[in-house]
Amino acid sequence: MNKFFSALLLISCYTFSAHAQTIQSKQYPKNFFRYPLDLPPSTAGGFAELRPNHFHAGLDFRTNQRSGYPVHAAADGYVSRIRVQFGGGGNIVYIDHPNGYTTVYMHNQTFSPQIAKVLRDYQYAHQLYDVDFNLPPDQITVCKDDVIAISGQSGAVAGPHVHFEIRDTKSEQTINPQLFGITIPDGIPPAITAVGIYQLDGKPFSENTPRQFLAVAGAAGSYHLKVPKVIELSGSVGFGISATDKNSASVNPNGVYSIELKLDGKTVYTFAAERFAFDQTHAINAYIDYPTYLTAHRFIQKCFVPPGSNISLYPQSVNRGIINFNDDRQHDVEYVVKDVAGNTSTITLKVQSKYVFPATTVLKSPEAAFRYNQRNEFSTDKVKIIIPQGNLYDDVDFKYEALPKKPNAYSITHHLHNRLTPIHDKYDIWIKPDVDLGDKKDKALIVGTGGVCDSCVYDNGYIKGKARAFGDYYITLDETPPYVTPLNIRSGANLSKAKKIFIRIGDNLSGVKTYNGRIDDKWVLMEWDYKSRILSYTFDDSVAAGRHKFELVVGDAKNNFSQYKADFIR
């Protein structure tokens, strides 16, 4: 029996049939949660839609392009966690509910007075702006409809909105809120803009995998190739698709809910945006055609599963979605794309299978490859890397090259494979400097394709750090302190009518790590805005009329410090 018919037999025996299919793994309570806003529901972002380096974890509700709307508790519960991030979700509040779910509200401008007081007391007690702490169940209880915050655009966002999530309290997996009845008016089926075909031939997927993208035409759920044809394929093949979805209340495209790939009517692969864990979110780079995304800025969603990708967004596949064509027959390959409201779009490809006698394969040395299912290590006398098990999505034919030294570098440049191969999480890297760093070794760090490596330290003659990607890396020094630019304060300034002190801070290499502001030698809360990089202090009753002394100390990750002082009148 050839491989193609073996695959068909496996499909026909698989209990996950198209007609009995339930893409949801479970049912969720439908009338428990309310919308977080008193606005007609309109979204700027959908659940699990494709974002750079992550799946979007909730729904982004529009707020008419402005801040200031009341944000309501979606159900009875208690405030279980408060978080303030520089970047990310900004001002965040979490509410645990008695039915085992947690709702999350991000990018708030301010919190309700009770929540704000608890937050401010914690910030002053720990002398920190960006905090993350849990609360006991009896500290702040809320009822459904209570105002818990005012909407805004805090954190790393392009405009005002409320990011809303529903999580499983125990596992902390985030779940599609629309499965709870948080519905958005939607009568529009998904749009399909392209299909992709990948000639795998039993090899790991990479930037070298032969691929072709076919343009698509159609509308209202029915799509076809712009240039109709029968596609000749042989051997093991993976398919991909470019698809987005709009709802009836929003103009921007969001992500689709589910994608099914069928071979002659039998489902061989399913993607469903039901729920996922946060430690899985970087696996978006295994789900998409990552090399095409980096080089052409296109999201092509691969309808086959890399062997090292284990995320709950793939509820089902046969042979990981890879199809073997070698029986000299014609077949139908169909994509079925749905949104969460059930609107459906389809496209069918006619494929002529051609049997090709297998060519003789020349096996490479085992030392040339990194294996996705094991710990991998590479070293020379100048560099060493260790990639933990579970960090690669597929086997990698790892390549290394020593490159010339860059200006202001203290080592040669180490070319570690290439940036087109995604890595799930950080890996350890050691680079040996080519000169004695002496007392400057604590200022050394590793920089390269993935930016500045994290946690750079001197380690037994090497500089060690944690890299986020493959690429080019080398050692440099950071001896420059952060910059501090006062905007509305100077020595002798009269700030009696000012509501705030504004200062812009930043660092051009290792990044700002700490900042501490004091007025009359007492610590004051200063808020750092992610978008403007402006640090601000809001005057309160603790600063009385008269002359005062302001001091700000800013440090970076390599312990370079800048200090600014000014006397002012209030």
Side-chain angles (χ1 to χ4, degrees), residues 111-150:
F111 295 117
S112 69
Q114 188 179 12
I115 297 173
K117 183 181 185 306
V118 171
L119 169 62
R120 185 177 177 85
D121 289 348
Y122 189 94
Q123 289 172 318
Y124 267 87
H126 293 80
Q127 296 192 358
L128 288 171
Y129 166 65
D130 47 330
V131 295
D132 185 0
F133 60 99
N134 297 318
L135 282 71
D138 57 351
Q139 187 166 1
I140 303 179
T141 59
V142 296
C143 296
K144 189 175 186 176
D145 301 328
D146 282 354
V147 176
I148 56 172
I150 298 299

Side-chain angles (χ1 to χ4, degrees), residues 1-24:
M1 184 181 295
N2 65 38
K3 293 181 180 178
F4 179 76
F5 286 109
S6 297
L8 282 181
L9 178 62
L10 181 60
I11 295 168
S12 64
C13 294
Y14 202 84
T15 58
F16 196 100
S17 71
H19 296 292
Q21 179 176 351
T22 302
I23 294 179
Q24 286 179 237

Side-chain angles (χ1 to χ4, degrees), residues 85-128:
Q85 281 185 298
F86 172 68
N91 298 324
I92 314 169
V93 62
Y94 301 71
I95 298 176
D96 281 12
H97 304 282
N99 63 348
Y101 297 102
T102 298
T103 51
V104 186
Y105 314 76
M106 296 188 182
H107 308 306
N108 301 293
Q109 179 176 277
T110 57
F111 295 117
S112 69
Q114 188 179 12
I115 297 173
K117 183 181 185 306
V118 171
L119 169 62
R120 185 177 177 85
D121 289 348
Y122 189 94
Q123 289 172 318
Y124 267 87
H126 293 80
Q127 296 192 358
L128 288 171

Side-chain angles (χ1 to χ4, degrees), residues 519-544:
I519 294 179
D520 301 330
D521 296 324
K522 294 182 179 179
W523 187 87
V524 293
L525 177 64
M526 303 198 72
E527 302 181 13
W528 195 18
D529 181 73
Y530 177 82
K531 295 172 286 295
S532 66
R533 297 302 198 264
I534 291 176
L535 197 63
S536 64
Y537 164 72
T538 302
F539 285 110
D540 57 25
D541 294 340
S542 66
V543 182

Side-chain angles (χ1 to χ4, degrees), residues 216-265:
V216 167
S222 179
Y223 290 86
H224 57 272
L225 295 181
K226 274 191 176 179
V227 181
K229 62 178 179 178
V230 176
I231 304 165
E232 293 188 351
L233 296 174
S234 63
S236 59
V237 173
F239 290 87
I241 191 168
S242 177
T244 59
D245 183 56
K246 287 184 179 180
N247 58 54
S248 301
S250 310
V251 296
N252 56 293
N254 298 149
V256 302
Y257 177 74
S258 67
I259 299 172
E260 290 179 79
L261 181 67
K262 296 183 177 184
L263 175 66
D264 297 329

Side-chain angles (χ1 to χ4, degrees), residues 310-543:
N310 299 304
I311 57 175
S312 51
L313 297 171
Y314 302 127
Q316 175 268 340
S317 69
V318 177
N319 193 34
R320 297 190 289 111
I322 298 170
I323 301 173
N324 292 297
F325 292 106
N326 55 8
D327 66 349
D328 291 321
R329 295 182 180 179
Q330 191 172 106
H331 301 278
D332 289 335
V333 173
E334 182 186 18
Y335 300 88
V336 180
V337 184
K338 297 180 181 181
D339 60 27
V340 73
N343 301 301
T344 303
S345 295
T346 62
I347 184 171
T348 300
L349 311 179
K350 294 291 184 182
V351 174
Q352 176 62 52
S353 174
K354 294 185 64 178
Y355 180 78
V356 176
F357 191 81
T360 302
T361 303
V362 178
L363 297 177
K364 295 185 177 181
S365 166
E367 289 76 23
F370 282 179
R371 308 299 180 192
Y372 76 89
N373 57 354
Q374 68 183 36
R375 176 181 183 269
N376 294 283
E377 181 175 336
F378 171 83
S379 64
T380 71
D381 60 339
K382 300 289 187 182
V383 65
K384 176 182 177 180
I385 64 171
I386 294 178
I387 301 178
Q389 183 175 343
N391 250 13
L392 298 177
Y393 302 118
D394 210 332
D395 291 344
V396 175
D397 188 10
F398 180 80
K399 293 179 173 58
Y400 167 79
E401 185 178 2
L403 301 177
K405 183 189 293 187
K406 295 180 180 290
N408 301 316
Y410 288 78
S411 72
I412 62 172
T413 299
H414 300 277
H415 180 71
L416 305 174
H417 200 58
N418 66 66
R419 69 186 184 96
L420 302 179
T421 298
I423 295 178
H424 189 70
D425 206 349
K426 299 169 188 174
Y427 63 94
D428 291 324
I429 177 173
W430 291 259
I431 295 181
K432 195 168 197 175
D434 56 9
V435 296
D436 183 2
L437 297 178
D439 58 3
K440 294 185 177 182
K441 60 180 178 291
D442 290 337
K443 302 296 183 184
L445 42 76
I446 300 173
V447 299
T449 300
V452 178
C453 291
D454 294 338
S455 308
C456 291
V457 295
Y458 179 80
D459 181 16
N460 194 27
Y462 288 79
I463 303 302
K464 178 187 176 184
K466 290 189 174 293
R468 305 176 186 87
F470 287 132
D472 296 347
Y473 290 94
Y474 60 92
I475 295 172
T476 190
L477 300 182
D478 184 359
E479 300 178 279
T480 304
Y483 61 83
V484 176
T485 306
L487 300 179
N488 72 333
I489 185 172
R490 66 183 188 282
S491 289
N494 187 331
L495 300 181
S496 59
K497 295 183 179 180
K499 294 182 179 180
K500 295 185 178 186
I501 293 174
F502 294 106
I503 295 177
R504 181 175 281 114
I505 66 173
D507 187 77
N508 292 324
L509 196 50
S510 61
V512 171
K513 184 179 181 182
T514 62
Y515 59 87
N516 282 287
R518 293 181 180 275
I519 294 179
D520 301 330
D521 296 324
K522 294 182 179 179
W523 187 87
V524 293
L525 177 64
M526 303 198 72
E527 302 181 13
W528 195 18
D529 181 73
Y530 177 82
K531 295 172 286 295
S532 66
R533 297 302 198 264
I534 291 176
L535 197 63
S536 64
Y537 164 72
T538 302
F539 285 110
D540 57 25
D541 294 340
S542 66
V543 182

